[in-house]
Amino acid sequence: MGAATGARQDVASLDRPFRVIAFDWDGTAVMGRKQDARHVCKLLERLLRDGVSIVVVTGTNLANTVAQLSPLIHEAGSHNRHLFIATNRGSEVYGFEGRPQPVPLFRRAATPEEDRQLTAAAESVRAQLQQDFGLEAKIVYDRLNRRKIDLIPVPEWADPPKSAIGKLLEAVQARLFAAGVHGGLQEVLRMAERAAANAGLRDARVTSDVKHVEIGLTDKSDSVEWMVRDVCGKKGVHLSDVLIAGDEFGPIGGVEGSDHKMLTPSSRGAVFVSVGLEPGGVDPEILHLGGGPPRFCQILAAQADLRAGKRPFPVATRAVPLPLPVPVDDPVWTLVQEGVDLSREREYETIFSVGNGYLGTRAALAEHNPLASSPATFLAGVFDALPSSQAVPELALAPDWTRLRVSIEGREVALEPATALAHRRILDMKQGASWREWRYHDPSGRVTRLRELRMASLAHRHVALQVFEIVPENWSGRLVVEAVVEPASGIVAGLPVARPRMLAVPGPRDDGVLVYRTGGKGLTLALATSSQLEGSDAFPILPRLRAAEGVSVERWEVDAQLGETYRLERVASFYTSRDAKSPEHLAKQRLTSAWDAGASALAAAHAKAWRERWEACAIEVQGDPAAERALRFAAYHLLIAANPEDERVSIGARTLTGESYKGHVFWDTDVFMLPFFTFTYPEAARALLMYRYHTLDGARGKAADAGYRGALYAWESTDTGHETTPRFMLAPDGEVIPIVSGLQEHHISADIAYAAWSYWEATGDDRFMAEAGAEILLETACFWASRGVWDDEGRFHIRDVVGPDEYHEGVDDNAFTNGLARWNLRRGAEVFEMLRRRWPERLQELSRKLAIGPDEVEQWRRIAAAMELSIDAATGLIEQFKGYFALDDYDLAPMRAQGKRAAPMDMLLGREHTLRSRIVKQADVVMLLQLLWDEFPEAVREANFRYYEPRTCHGSSLSPSTHALVAAQLGDIPMAMDYFKQASEIDLANNYGNAAGGVHAAALGGLWQVAVFGFGGVRVYREGLTMDPRLPPAWRSLRFPLQFRGAQLEISVEADRTWVRSLGGKPVAVTLGEAPRQKLSVGEELVAARVGRGWRSAKEAP
Amino acid sequence: MSLFADTGRGGALDLRTAAEQRSGVFVPLDGSLEAVAALPVARALARLAGATLHLVHVSERPVSLHELVHALRLLPGELYGSILDELAGTPADRILQLASELDRPMVVMSSHSEAAPEGALGPVAFEVLQRASFPVIVVRPERGSGPFVLQRMAVPHDGSRRTAGALGPALGLAERAGAALRVVHVAPAPGERLPERSRLPQYVDQPQHEWPEWAREFLERLEIFAGVATARAPARLFLARGDPGEEIVRFVAREEVDLVAVAWSGKADASSAATLWHVVGHCVCPVLVLRTAGEDWHAGSRSIP
């Protein structure tokens, strides 16, 4: 009876109003006959009032259907004349004609002979099953024009829900196979067809709903035939204006579904949609959306909106959800936090954050806890300031898109130690996902299993996904779920938040997009979200949008069944006025495409993007899983902070994982994080440096304001590059603390120049150097030339600065500053020559723009040569700044003896005392050694490290990794490991006590450097890459990928063997140990064996 | 969380609502002018808490009501809105007994009635404070008889869960009064050895960022310990360095605090109660003493070696 109906359907075919909508009732419009159908009735009423003809097609009798449709029949009034109910599998049709009583319009009445034949056929099948297979079957006689043969007349399958069709099929087939019916359900159908023919029925309709095989005189094709003839024909409706929906079009157990009967030759041209599970798939001409009755209701709502002239809220037109990934079961790829400790909740929320460089969302409790939890989403580059003259710009709090309210039998679910039978967070770093698993035990004894997944898509940076599963373990009852989007509350963890927030833009919208704006600059965010709840009998209440308040609430009320899984999927799309003038359209568009793809496809694309990233950066450490995991954690958080697609943002000190440091960008990014990106993700590194290029004007302005030339970068930078460091602050002890880093911490200009040069040296990205890097290097060199003064003896001094050791302010000739400034001047001169040689037009352009000529460059060389940076001939020591050696010495050894490697000494001793002492806050001279290693003889490096290390209290998270790196390069592996561990625990063990405010990204970048540059011994020279590995004894091997000048390298270090392999890209020069330099092409491998303290290498063909 | 402790008599399930439970503010009066100094404070707090004000006089022999009003040096109208309880027996015993009969009692009393050494408590006040399981407010007579308006309230805190226990009741009171709450964290002075579980920042890199974050983090953790949100009343964290008692007294004077709430374990020995005795003896404002479980203020400190 079936027939092909036309071309392949796609989701766009629903994006127009239909004049006739026909649909199966049970399983399509409602989950079951006991379900409250008021919601679907309301939607149907809207359509009827608009003149849409509604044809309900059902296998059951009129009384059953009318009971559920009564609100519609009674309230629609005269509009119910467009309502038709085709009952009893095509045997009857009723209309209403404006009255509340049904009026029969069509009836196929069986003759007594036909009735006898139906009974005879059914009984013949039953007898055959009994006699041939010993299988008991029951016949349902009291159906109009048909007989039903129950193939599984057992109590547990007396009234199976539609959602259990898969399990029902398994049970029926198992029963048939066990009895010897090897053809299963199909064989019984053939049996019924033969029996019907033998009984004399000429056009018997044999169908199955899996539980039963039915022999009848009519089926749903008769209902559709009537509709085409009596509705479409009489009203002149073309078939293309007809929508036919069902849930069982595809085959089940080899038998075509009952709704397949609605595909008839006369219905060709209509649009067919299935909202069922369809485990056997559907014909291509049927649009398979899945989602059950909730999805069907969304279709009806969209139709009503279209007729009302509104753009519907994203129609749920998407693939059937597939299983989502599960967390990887590998401890080096996961972080797991067990239990509930609300006092540490905020630090966990930092560590388990998700992000993608465009947005970052803390792993706050979706259900909220106003005391313990700090939900926050940040969007890179969205800075604004509070309306106060003292306020500096900071990252604005975006609306909370993750909020869920879940209540079970009226009691709201909340995380508390007393109600959590088990609670676990899992950060799946491999797949870039954050999970929560929770067994909730309410005071009445109900146990519910909850599971949440969050992702910020790495494949589509404007999209985020949340999945929340609810499983009643020991109860059935009312479950209410609300997916809420709302502006950041202004109350975080019980405290009023004094920071910029994105607030709702007043005014209703009809496209479901929520629009928010920051108070100062008026940056706009368009946020589009859509959610769905999947469950066995989920009863949908469609999104209720209160756009004027910037709040959207999507609410579901479900009679939840014990053991069923209710899965909420929410997709959110973010665009700001930084991306486009009218971000609303983009947000909507992106949401629609993401929604079409479905959560599983989103998750799959996200996982693929993460696979690619990890292939480029995952470090393997055999023998030390804690170290390996710490390195993965570092890489994870660096990756979720970076966005190669946006070169007008950089990475703040605490990334997008917390509010501390206000999202401000420090030298942390350029010196500590950038190498990771340069060698594993050069596109991201380039974007970070381009941010510095685009903020050059701000740096020029700061230099000019201070009376200097060139570019003086902001110590704390946001979107414009202007200085955003506060000048003063009021400490909690009432002391007014002057903040001089914005005024005096000038080394940042050289740090950025160093970063730009290092990137170019490691990548060979000439285009970057010509277009941006050169300008940075020239402008910063220009600054240094104007920043210092000559003395009478011809020495050049830089006075009144703060070096990395911020305990000592206003010092002269800080070694780090002078050393980097000297390097900057020399590289500036070198870049000038390079431009002249390679890009003369660009040099001309820059010379004009920056007013720099050969004379000035010559002066840079003279200044560099005269820069004050002396090394004591006797001791080899470099004085950290002028007068440092005259300060009080202070022995930190007792503190170390207590196991404390880091301490805020200015806090412990008092500011004055610290200023007078030689206590160093963080690596300063040691940092100089790290960055300019080859400028100092080995003895000088050793002497200075041994002198300054004991005097450093590591009052900055930047310090331990620097000490680990320098210790490793000096060959002091035990000390390097000590500092490596300390650096790795800054966030993972919260050993600085402030992880709640966000991860310490510089420490994470530093950790990567320790592994690759320290233990891996990688260094970059103009001639190529060199390696002198020093493996910690506990590490059996260290393996890492590296990108170098267009080559993809893989490096493996073992105690007595090291190899470098080229996996792709350009040939590059590599030197292993003291062996001669060799060129490595694709597929080639360089192997070295340890001999004594060095390495012997040989080039080997693959 | 209520300012008034629940006496929880009998351990039986009490199904009465808060409104049905009886709360009272008791003011011991002995006929001295010093004792009357507690009255404005007691009256204001009773009003804030919706409690009945009881004026309590304990003597060896009963006197007529007229005589009693005169003997207690009450001005006309001062009795209005209150109950006068005249009891016989030992003052501290009877005051505590009477208060314990209510569900939610509080005693507001003068620190002493006769010339006492500077900073000392009178014998009745000392005994009531030591034996009371419910909140007690000690008012120094030097405060005078001016009206009491609660605008600024302070809660000293040493970083322990025990001292956090004072936050809830203090917050409830501040909220009712519309008062600002000052949480003052007292840590050892610079150069002195920190206690094992110091709440001072472990790390101050960029102070312009670290200090506000530390203050926020501190309050947040305090809230979790206390189970209350300070957003209900505007709270601000202050840091003091030095001897806890001296620093609290100094802070109260500097910030013009109207009421300071101090947590106390109930142990009266010198090392446990040193801070409390100093605060009660020297604070210019009334001191609310709240019984909380746990160890008392850290005792002493040593220099960093």
Side-chain angles (χ1 to χ4, degrees), chain A residues 834-1069:
Chain A
M834 191 197 306
L835 287 168
R836 191 166 64 181
R837 206 172 58 248
R838 299 181 61 187
W839 303 294
E841 286 179 12
R842 177 67 175 148
L843 177 61
Q844 270 191 342
E845 186 188 334
L846 285 176
S847 294
R848 271 198 306 274
K849 180 178 174 184
L850 311 179
I852 294 172
D855 292 348
E856 175 147 16
V857 172
E858 192 49 42
Q859 175 73 347
W860 294 353
R861 292 194 183 96
R862 279 196 293 274
I863 292 171
M867 184 70 75
E868 181 60 42
L869 185 63
S870 55
I871 299 170
D872 185 280
T875 61
L877 291 181
I878 302 167
E879 190 171 33
Q880 185 178 299
F881 53 83
K882 191 179 178 191
Y884 172 85
F885 288 141
L887 297 175
D888 299 340
D889 214 352
Y890 194 93
D891 189 4
L892 293 171
M895 186 186 86
R896 302 275 169 85
Q898 290 170 27
K900 287 183 184 168
R901 278 220 164 265
M905 294 309 291
D906 55 344
M907 160 72 52
L908 301 178
L909 292 182
R911 188 178 157 87
E912 291 306 313
H913 193 155
T914 312
L915 272 171
R916 290 196 307 270
S917 78
R918 280 186 237 174
I919 296 171
V920 179
K921 180 184 169 193
Q922 66 192 89
D924 193 307
V925 171
V926 172
M927 189 81 217
L928 176 68
L929 301 177
Q930 186 207 317
L931 296 187
L932 303 179
W933 188 256
D934 294 311
E935 292 198 7
F936 303 98
E938 192 176 337
V940 170
R941 298 191 295 238
E942 181 77 27
N944 281 279
F945 184 75
R946 299 301 171 196
Y947 180 84
Y948 285 104
E949 187 274 332
R951 290 170 174 80
T952 306
C953 68
H954 309 290
S956 162
S957 63
L958 279 54
S959 194
S961 64
T962 304
H963 281 77
L965 175 48
V966 174
Q969 288 174 325
L970 290 172
D972 188 343
I973 301 303
M975 182 181 279
M977 278 305 289
D978 255 14
Y979 277 117
F980 178 88
K981 185 167 182 292
Q982 187 184 343
S984 71
E985 289 177 349
I986 287 172
D987 290 312
L988 287 175
N990 195 16
N991 65 7
Y992 278 49
N994 59 358
V999 295
H1000 298 73
L1004 299 173
L1007 205 65
W1008 182 90
Q1009 293 192 53
V1010 178
V1012 173
F1013 300 153
F1015 301 135
V1018 169
R1019 298 196 75 82
V1020 171
Y1021 293 96
R1022 296 200 187 170
E1023 299 77 19
L1025 190 84
T1026 74
M1027 281 187 65
D1028 187 10
R1030 297 170 191 85
L1031 203 64
W1035 294 16
R1036 286 200 304 278
S1037 72
L1038 166 68
R1039 200 163 175 168
F1040 52 91
L1042 212 64
Q1043 298 200 39
F1044 177 66
R1045 294 184 188 164
Q1048 286 92 51
L1049 305 178
E1050 189 181 10
I1051 294 169
S1052 171
V1053 179
E1054 293 167 19
D1056 52 4
R1057 186 171 180 271
T1058 288
W1059 52 256
V1060 183
R1061 190 179 291 154
S1062 173
L1063 304 176
K1066 299 175 183 172
V1068 287

Side-chain angles (χ1 to χ4, degrees), chain A residues 591-799:
Chain A
L591 175 70
T592 307
S593 59
W595 192 253
D596 286 351
S600 304
L602 275 178
H606 175 74
K608 180 170 176 283
W610 271 101
R611 267 198 307 279
E612 287 167 7
R613 287 274 51 85
W614 283 119
E615 278 169 16
C617 75
I619 295 180
E620 288 176 28
V621 179
Q622 293 288 324
D624 190 345
E628 186 174 63
R629 190 173 65 167
L631 288 162
R632 302 259 163 92
F633 177 76
Y636 169 82
H637 271 285
L638 291 167
L639 289 172
I640 68 168
N643 182 2
E645 294 158 22
D646 191 346
E647 55 182 45
R648 291 191 179 266
V649 297
S650 186
I651 303 175
R654 301 298 191 89
T655 68
L656 300 172
T657 60
E659 299 180 8
S660 286
Y661 287 70
K662 302 178 187 298
H664 290 185
V665 181
F666 294 72
W667 69 317
D668 305 34
T669 316
D670 311 276
V671 174
F672 293 85
M673 302 178 218
L674 194 83
F676 166 79
F677 294 111
T678 298
F679 288 96
T680 68
Y681 200 4
E683 310 92 298
R686 189 181 207 278
L688 292 170
L689 288 166
M690 289 306 289
Y691 161 82
R692 291 301 194 184
Y693 175 70
H694 292 305
T695 52
L696 257 176
D697 278 345
R700 289 186 183 106
K702 182 178 171 186
D705 288 347
Y708 305 118
R709 291 188 58 203
L712 170 56
Y713 277 98
W715 177 244
E716 298 187 24
S717 181
T718 56
D719 48 351
T720 61
H722 292 123
E723 184 58 74
T724 54
T725 310
R727 299 282 293 274
F728 299 94
M729 67 115 8
L730 181 65
D733 57 359
E735 187 186 2
V736 176
I737 301 179
I739 306 297
V740 299
S741 36
L743 300 172
Q744 298 184 350
E745 207 149 354
H746 291 176
H747 63 80
I748 186 158
S749 272
D751 305 334
I752 291 165
Y754 182 91
W757 179 269
S758 302
Y759 165 80
W760 171 75
E761 208 171 36
T763 60
D765 185 349
D766 285 344
R767 193 174 151 207
F768 164 77
M769 180 53 84
E771 291 179 1
E775 193 169 339
I776 292 173
L777 278 142
L778 294 174
E779 281 287 67
T780 46
C782 193
F783 163 72
W784 290 116
S786 69
R787 176 61 180 81
V789 291
W790 293 93
D791 69 10
D792 297 341
E793 294 166 6
R795 303 294 298 163
F796 193 81
H797 304 272
I798 298 174
R799 293 185 174 137

